Amino acid sequence: EPAIEVKFPGKNLWPERDYPVKVMESLSAKKVTQVPGNDDSYLYDFGQNASGIFEVAVQGKKGDSIVFTPAELKTDGQTANQRATGRPHTYTYVLKGDGIERWQPRFSYYGFRYLQVDGATPDSVASELPRIVDLKMLHTRNSSPYAGTFECSNPLFNDINALIQWAIKSNLASVATDCPHREKLGWLEQAFLMGEGIHFNYDVYGLYSKMIDDMMEAQTPEGLVPTIVPEYTVFDFMDGVFRDSPEWGSAAVIVPWLLYKWYGDVEPIQRAWPMMERYVAYLESKGDGHILDHGLGDWYDLGPERPGFPQLTPRSLTATAIYFYDVQLMAQMAPLVGKSQEVEKLASWAEEIKSAFNSRFYNAETGSYSTGSQTAISMPLVVGLVEDENREKVVNSLVATIENSDYALTAGDVGFNFLVKALQNNQLGELLFQMNARDDVPGYGYQLKKGATALTESWPALEMVSNNHLMLGHLMEWLYAGIGGIKQTEQSVGYMELLIDPQVVGDITSAKVTYETPYGTVLSSWKDTENIFELEVEIPANSSAIVVFHAEELAKIMESGTPVLPSNGFDFLGEENGKIRLKVGSGNYQFTVKK
């Protein structure tokens, strides 16, 4: 049909500065089955749920028509199941009848594992219908280069890593989408909640920098940053609850900060500062005594009802906590962009929010917050809302609530990120291991047991929602920063000063993790045996690292057979709580610790 002329939607055209979307992998079908009772219908199983298109080589008569239907799941009748992912979504190819014809979609993509083919048969089947000579799945994504690798001795955690990684790369396009099928929208909460895990896997500077431009363009005159950017559709139903959520819009403040911390570049903060100022002012206008009570809250937490709106944590807690975090981060960013005169005002503002938050939600008797859910306790711990004198009591309360739930996951899209950080930051990796090294309750192992090949939208991998979703993959951060132990010190940016502190937990006896920092590759590879702990560390040029050892005596630590004494060039930073800290420069080190 003739093209329809539309009005140009923007103001100026800018060159794309991010990596382009490309075909990154080609997958052949693992299994081909005939749809029961239908001689001209076959289901191709590629064995992996991923974003992409397909490429077909077919031979047949002129005018023959073939319909291709992609799907994540299959129905009980062994047909493509698009009930939860947007239907109908099909591709129709009409043959020209000129030998072997090759074709692939060029204007659309989908998230699928299965491809139903109607009107053609596999090459091996004798038929008057067109013959499928070859059929491949072409995985498409943002072509950002890989930035990290993870492997460990526990097969389940390697599978969890692959599960989350497929969700990440299936949802990196020219925006960071929620899913590669029904929506393909840039829901903002995942940008920072999943940010640590994403950046350990890919170089996302270009994508995240572009995300800032999208947020600036989408911000309303009132200061609202909507939940999705670019705002292709306006979610103004249900009083705008799906459009205005502080845990989503706060990406306007948090993403520029993350870019600075990851890559050492202050320019994104400078560019975004006016947007940040307008957004936190907007949040202030929505508050009642600094308490916010709107938005989506801890979306998809695991409660007794069908997942969706939070069931275990008041949305006022998560909204107010992220509001505080925004203002606190701005107080830290202000001097970086020549706004030192704003620091006192922002710090005072943050303290007012903190006081209101603790007055409303903190229970001094129990050391808990609000309902005592995993999210309600973790979030204040991580963003800095807990008073120093109460911290130990609150941490103990978090441990108790996890133990009382029999180590099952209940935190949702927002809360699980903070649960991972709270346990990791307080040296409670053993709890994270116990919560995730299982498949008997909803979680990663449960999803894998149900046959998932990419991270699903819901903890129990429900068929009625997406089964390839950039959400709930926050454990990826702990795989790198916890098990692998690759972090940076609090004052470091761009990984100039690394902190190598692997957490040896559960039955994991070895791990090897690499990450490509702006200065080069960092490696943390360890092996734990009965008598010796071995740690290989590689620090890039122009960087340094603080390496943490679980030992009480410096004499028990060797490097390539030599004692790590100050006289041998090692900077001993002291021992505390059974841990010794050494400062090292760039280079490759082979440490051993006698037990």
Side-chain angles (χ1 to χ4, degrees):
E1 296 182 0
I4 301 171
E5 184 176 350
V6 296
K7 184 180 179 181
F8 176 59
K11 298 176 182 177
N12 297 296
L13 286 174
W14 295 92
E16 178 63 83
R17 288 186 281 265
D18 188 19
Y19 292 98
V21 173
K22 291 183 178 181
V23 173
M24 300 303 292
E25 294 182 45
S26 175
L27 290 78
S28 298
K30 304 290 185 185
K31 188 178 180 181
V32 182
T33 55
Q34 183 179 336
V35 173
N38 197 333
D39 293 340
D40 66 349
S41 184
Y42 288 80
L43 192 69
Y44 288 72
D45 178 2
F46 295 95
Q48 178 61 56
N49 190 352
S51 58
I53 56 175
F54 60 89
E55 181 182 57
V56 63
V58 60
Q59 188 169 20
K61 298 190 292 290
K62 182 178 179 178
D64 283 346
S65 182
I66 309 171
V67 178
F68 301 88
T69 307
E72 289 190 318
L73 305 173
K74 56 183 179 180
T75 66
D76 292 340
Q78 303 302 301
T79 59
N81 180 356
Q82 291 185 341
R83 283 195 292 264
T85 54
R87 62 179 178 179
H89 187 105
T90 61
Y91 303 86
T92 301
Y93 181 73
V94 181
L95 279 75
K96 59 183 177 181
D98 183 15
I100 295 177
E101 305 171 37
R102 295 186 180 275
W103 179 77
Q104 66 184 50
R106 295 190 179 275
F107 300 103
S108 179
Y109 76 101
Y110 205 71
F112 67 102
R113 170 179 172 170
Y114 302 97
L115 189 65
Q116 183 176 326
V117 180
D118 292 296
T121 62
D123 198 23
S124 58
V125 177
S127 171
E128 294 296 315
L129 295 170
R131 296 182 299 107
I132 301 294
V133 179
D134 190 29
L135 184 60
K136 285 186 169 59
M137 175 185 186
L138 305 179
H139 165 51
T140 59
R141 68 163 174 86
N142 185 302
S143 54
S144 297
Y146 286 108
T149 62
F150 169 86
E151 60 179 295
C152 74
S153 61
N154 185 303
L156 174 58
F157 282 85
N158 290 331
D159 290 343
I160 291 172
N161 176 62
L163 188 80
I164 301 172
Q165 193 183 84
W166 270 107
I168 292 174
K169 61 187 182 181
S170 293
N171 286 288
L172 293 188
S174 53
V175 297
T177 63
D178 60 324
C179 55
H181 31 67
R182 67 176 186 228
E183 292 182 17
K184 303 172 182 146
L185 294 175
W187 290 93
L188 282 178
E189 94 291 4
Q190 61 198 8
F192 67 91
L193 294 172
M194 280 288 293
E196 295 288 347
I198 292 172
H199 101 284
F200 274 129
N201 279 271
Y202 297 98
D203 173 5
V204 290
Y205 179 88
L207 179 62
Y208 272 56
S209 180
K210 184 254 187 190
M211 195 182 298
I212 292 172
D213 291 337
D214 290 341
M215 288 188 285
M216 291 168 61
E217 182 173 318
Q219 188 173 34
T220 69
E222 298 79 22
L224 163 69
V225 175
T227 51
I228 60 166
V229 299
E231 196 174 20
Y232 294 122
T233 183
V234 177
F235 291 136
D236 53 5
F237 56 92
M238 290 181 64
D239 294 325
V241 66
F242 281 94
R243 189 187 191 209
D244 182 7
S245 186
E247 306 89 344
W248 274 245
S250 290
V253 176
I254 301 171
V255 166
W257 171 253
L258 289 177
L259 273 177
Y260 170 66
K261 292 294 288 183
W262 294 340
Y263 301 106
D265 186 4
V266 76
E267 188 278 333
I269 297 176
Q270 294 171 326
R271 181 165 25 118
W273 187 262
M275 171 178 63
M276 297 186 212
E277 287 187 312
R278 291 170 57 208
Y279 184 64
V280 293
Y282 173 78
L283 292 182
E284 183 183 30
S285 73
K286 298 280 286 186
D288 180 8
H290 289 306
I291 300 296
L292 299 179
D293 191 15
H294 69 283
L296 298 171
D298 193 21
W299 185 250
Y300 264 65
D301 62 354
L302 194 58
E305 307 297 330
R306 171 176 170 158
F309 288 102
Q311 303 175 51
L312 308 178
T313 309
R315 65 181 184 180
S316 54
L317 184 144
T318 56
T320 306
I322 209 74
Y323 168 40
F324 164 80
Y325 190 50
D326 290 344
V327 178
Q328 183 191 57
L329 284 183
M330 288 186 66
Q332 295 181 59
M333 288 186 271
L336 301 173
V337 292
K339 304 283 184 179
S340 297
Q341 72 279 4
E342 299 289 321
V343 174
E344 186 176 343
K345 172 192 169 186
L346 290 163
S348 175
W349 185 358
E351 280 300 314
E352 291 176 14
I353 302 170
K354 183 176 182 177
S355 177
F357 182 91
N358 283 313
S359 177
R360 170 71 66 91
F361 299 112
Y362 182 60
N363 185 325
E365 185 176 338
T366 62
S368 184
Y369 279 86
S370 187
T371 57
S373 68
Q374 293 174 6
T375 297
I377 304 173
S378 298
M379 204 167 177
L381 271 172
V382 172
V383 302
L385 282 161
V386 179
E387 300 289 359
D388 291 342
E389 63 269 22
N390 299 330
R391 188 170 187 84
E392 183 178 354
K393 195 172 184 180
V394 174
V395 171
N396 291 337
S397 177
L398 177 60
V399 172
T401 199
I402 292 170
E403 291 175 344
N404 291 338
S405 71
D406 195 25
Y407 304 96
L409 297 173
T410 60
D413 178 23
V414 174
F416 189 58
N417 166 277
F418 295 99
L419 176 63
V420 169
K421 283 183 167 68
L423 295 178
Q424 176 179 290
N425 295 347
N426 288 284
Q427 300 301 307
L428 293 168
E430 191 67 43
L431 278 180
L432 273 173
F433 178 86
Q434 287 179 264
M435 297 176 79
N436 292 283
R438 59 193 301 187
D439 61 12
D440 59 320
V441 294
Y444 300 114
Y446 191 90
Q447 293 179 14
L448 289 162
K449 190 177 180 180
K450 286 188 71 171
T453 59
L455 185 63
T456 67
E457 184 177 10
S458 64
W459 282 127
L462 300 172
E463 289 189 11
M464 60 190 177
V465 294
S466 166
N467 275 260
N468 187 344
H469 222 77
L470 188 58
M471 197 174 85
L472 301 176
H474 313 118
L475 195 71
M476 178 69 80
E477 174 184 347
W478 181 67
L479 299 184
Y480 279 83
I483 294 176
I486 295 178
K487 299 183 280 288
Q488 55 180 330
T489 59
E490 190 173 338
Q491 68 273 14
S492 170
V493 296
Y495 291 86
M496 176 175 276
E497 184 176 65
L498 290 145
L499 177 63
I500 308 296
D501 184 14
Q503 296 182 3
V504 183
V505 295
D507 62 2
I508 301 177
T509 57
S510 66
K512 181 179 181 181
V513 178
T514 67
Y515 173 59
E516 193 71 22
T517 77
Y519 296 94
T521 304
V522 56
L523 163 73
S524 173
S525 178
W526 59 264
K527 184 177 180 181
D528 189 43
T529 65
E530 186 177 350
N531 300 314
I532 294 177
F533 177 75
E534 302 174 15
L535 174 64
E536 180 183 1
V537 175
E538 184 174 334
I539 307 301
N542 300 313
S543 316
S544 62
I546 295 173
V547 186
V548 181
F549 300 92
H550 290 256
E552 296 180 352
E553 299 176 34
L554 193 61
K556 291 188 175 183
I557 306 174
M558 310 282 283
E559 196 285 311
S560 299
T562 303
V564 291
L565 301 174
S567 58
N568 291 328
F570 292 94
D571 191 0
F572 175 53
L573 301 182
E575 183 272 333
E576 186 178 359
N577 298 325
K579 291 185 176 182
I580 287 177
R581 298 160 70 88
L582 290 179
K583 179 76 174 284
V584 301
S586 59
N588 186 275
Y589 302 90
Q590 307 283 337
F591 294 107
T592 57
V593 182
K594 291 182 181 179
K595 294 186 178 179

